[in-house]
Amino acid sequence: QVQVVESGGGLVQAGGSLRLSCAASGRTVSIYRMGWFRQAPEKEREFVASIDWNSRKTSYYTGSLKGRFTISRDNANNTMYLQMNSLKPEDTAVYYCKVDGRDSNYWGQGTQVTVSS
C-alpha cells in the first residue's frame, strides 16, 4: 500500500503562482511514476503532467499548460511537486496526485486550487 497526500493548494489571483506537493509513504519502493490530474466543476478529470521516478522523464499536457507548469520530484523524500506559474481562472480545479505502483495505482484526496480574475 502507498499513502498519498497532496498539499499547497489555495486561492490566488490570476497571474500568480502556487506550488503543489505530493508526498508518498508506505511501500514507496514500488513506485515507478507519479502524476498530477485536475478536475474542474462539472468536467472530467484530466491529465496535467507526470514524471518517471527513476528516469526523470516528464510528460505534460499540451496546450494551455505549456510553459506554465513544471513537474519535479525529490526521490529522497518521496515527494513530487507541481510549480504553477501565470495561473489563469481556468486553472481552477481540484488537483489530484496519482502514484503508479508496480502492483496498483493510488490517488490522493486532492487539493483545491482557485484562481480569481
Side-chain angles (χ1 to χ4, degrees):
Q1 285 277 2
V2 176
Q3 292 75 47
V4 181
V5 178
E6 304 100 333
S7 62
L11 173 64
V12 64
Q13 288 189 331
S17 299
L18 282 175
R19 188 194 196 200
L20 305 183
S21 299
C22 172
S25 60
R27 195 167 176 267
T28 57
V29 293
S30 71
I31 298 174
Y32 68 89
R33 183 173 57 223
M34 293 180 71
W36 290 100
F37 290 73
R38 68 183 185 181
Q39 187 166 17
E42 301 182 358
K43 291 188 177 181
E44 292 187 355
R45 192 171 296 189
E46 65 177 4
F47 171 75
V48 174
S50 68
I51 186 165
D52 286 348
W53 212 238
N54 294 314
S55 72
R56 293 181 183 255
K57 179 182 177 181
T58 60
S59 298
Y60 290 93
Y61 170 82
T62 57
S64 65
L65 304 184
K66 186 178 180 180
R68 299 191 297 120
F69 289 14
T70 303
I71 191 171
S72 62
R73 94 281 191 266
D74 177 355
N75 281 33
N77 293 308
N78 296 312
T79 302
M80 175 181 64
Y81 304 97
L82 185 69
Q83 178 66 42
M84 305 186 295
N85 299 326
S86 302
L87 283 162
K88 304 175 181 180
E90 52 263 42
D91 294 320
T92 295
V94 178
Y95 284 71
Y96 295 92
C97 172
K98 181 180 178 229
V99 173
D100 292 333
R102 302 202 182 280
D103 54 352
S104 187
N105 301 324
Y106 305 89
W107 290 87
Q109 80 290 350
T111 185
Q112 176 71 46
V113 171
T114 303
V115 184
S116 63
S117 57

